[in-house]
Amino acid sequence: KNFIYDGTAKSLKIASSKNYTVTGNYGVNAGRYTVTLALTDPTKAIWSDGSVDDIKMNFTIAKAQVEKPATNDSVFVYNGDYQTYEIYDYYIDSLFTVSNNYKLNVGKYAVKISLKDAKNYEWADGSVDDLSYNFTINKAQVSAPAADNTKFIYTGKEQTYKLVADTRYTIEGNKQTMPGKYEVHVSLKDAKNYEWTNGTTDVLSYNFVIRAEETELTPVAIPSVATKNFIYDGTAKSLKIASSK
């Protein structure tokens, strides 16, 4: 007879008799058991088939089967807190354990699911190997700050190329005083766990130009001058050009 493991003792139903003994008729764990029937005194009794040899009987306790837990299809994105790849079929008294399913940083992890008692239990497909489920935490995305379209003109004072501040990135080179062309750099503080919305982690560069002070120019009319030729006579010569303030 075949049994299925349930944690209780199993045995074959064999009628008792003073003419023979029964040994090995007891089993709890999954496995194959051999029961031996031996005549108490072969000189006084024989088996009904005329033999006196011990009789061997077998029974099996098969492993109880456990359904494999379903995978977790949630999409995990880094949020600065520990996140759990939950196995919804898992309870404190479950027949399997779950490990490596509690993570903080971005990465690809393997959640391990193991039968607590592989000697007496097996998965529904007959295997007992540990299960491995993929647990991925994706990078959180950060929007790049919009460029400052201000036209900067030298004033003698420090000027700021204004970008939206965010705790997830740093801004460098955005405060300048002198005329010139500068580059403002924006860098992710934690490129392992964050990325820009275009999927990159590169340092962003913005052009910051401060132009020289603009001076208002007064238009001056070009005077008309009559062309004149002179003949040397030892005296100074010049064109007559109207003066201007």
Side-chain angles (χ1 to χ4, degrees):
K1 185 174 182 179
N2 293 327
F3 302 93
I4 296 177
Y5 174 80
D6 62 6
T8 62
K10 303 289 185 274
S11 62
L12 296 176
K13 291 183 178 180
I14 301 174
S16 60
S17 173
K18 64 180 181 180
N19 294 317
Y20 56 81
T21 60
V22 179
T23 58
N25 191 23
Y26 179 89
V28 175
N29 295 317
R32 189 171 185 270
Y33 297 85
T34 298
V35 181
T36 302
L37 281 68
L39 290 170
T40 305
D41 185 354
T43 63
K44 295 181 179 179
I46 59 175
W47 298 117
S48 58
D49 63 359
S51 66
V52 294
D53 296 333
D54 293 349
I55 297 174
K56 304 290 184 179
M57 297 181 181
N58 297 311
F59 72 91
T60 300
I61 301 177
K63 291 182 179 182
Q65 293 197 322
V66 180
E67 289 293 333
K68 291 182 178 181
T71 57
N72 187 332
D73 295 327
S74 301
V75 177
F76 298 91
V77 177
Y78 177 78
N79 61 13
D81 295 323
Y82 277 89
Q83 299 185 72
T84 302
Y85 183 101
E86 293 186 11
I87 300 296
Y88 299 112
D89 300 323
Y90 176 68
Y91 308 97
I92 294 177
D93 58 348
S94 292
L95 298 172
F96 55 83
T97 60
V98 180
S99 59
N100 206 40
N101 66 324
Y102 187 60
K103 297 296 179 180
L104 170 65
N105 294 313
V106 166
K108 294 183 178 181
Y109 307 97
V111 177
K112 182 180 178 182
I113 301 176
S114 309
L115 289 167
K116 287 181 178 178
D117 181 5
K119 291 181 178 180
N120 292 308
Y121 293 92
E122 65 185 7
W123 300 117
D125 62 2
S127 66
V128 295
D129 296 334
D130 293 342
L131 306 179
S132 181
Y133 293 172
N134 294 325
F135 175 20
T136 300
I137 298 178
N138 298 299
K139 289 185 177 183
Q141 293 197 322
V142 181
S143 296
D148 185 347
N149 294 321
T150 303
K151 292 183 179 180
F152 297 93
I153 298 174
Y154 174 72
T155 63
K157 297 180 180 180
E158 183 180 79
Q159 299 185 70
T160 301
Y161 185 97
K162 295 180 179 178
L163 294 172
V164 175
D166 193 300
T167 57
R168 296 169 294 180
Y169 55 72
T170 59
I171 302 173
E172 297 178 328
N174 67 322
K175 295 181 181 297
Q176 303 294 340
T177 302
M178 301 303 294
K181 294 182 178 180
Y182 306 94
E183 283 192 354
V184 179
H185 292 152
V186 179
S187 307
L188 290 168
K189 288 183 179 179
D190 181 5
K192 290 183 178 179
N193 291 309
Y194 291 95
E195 65 184 7
W196 302 116
T197 51
N198 64 359
T200 69
T201 57
D202 299 335
V203 175
L204 305 181
S205 181
Y206 298 79
N207 293 323
F208 179 15
V209 178
I210 299 178
R211 301 186 184 282
E213 181 179 6
E214 293 183 350
T215 302
E216 186 176 350
L217 301 178
T218 301
V220 178
I222 299 175
S224 59
V225 179
T227 301
K228 187 174 182 181
N229 295 325
F230 301 91
I231 297 175
Y232 175 78
D233 61 3
T235 62
K237 306 289 185 288
S238 64
L239 294 175
K240 289 183 179 181
I241 302 174
S243 61
S244 174
K245 61 180 180 179

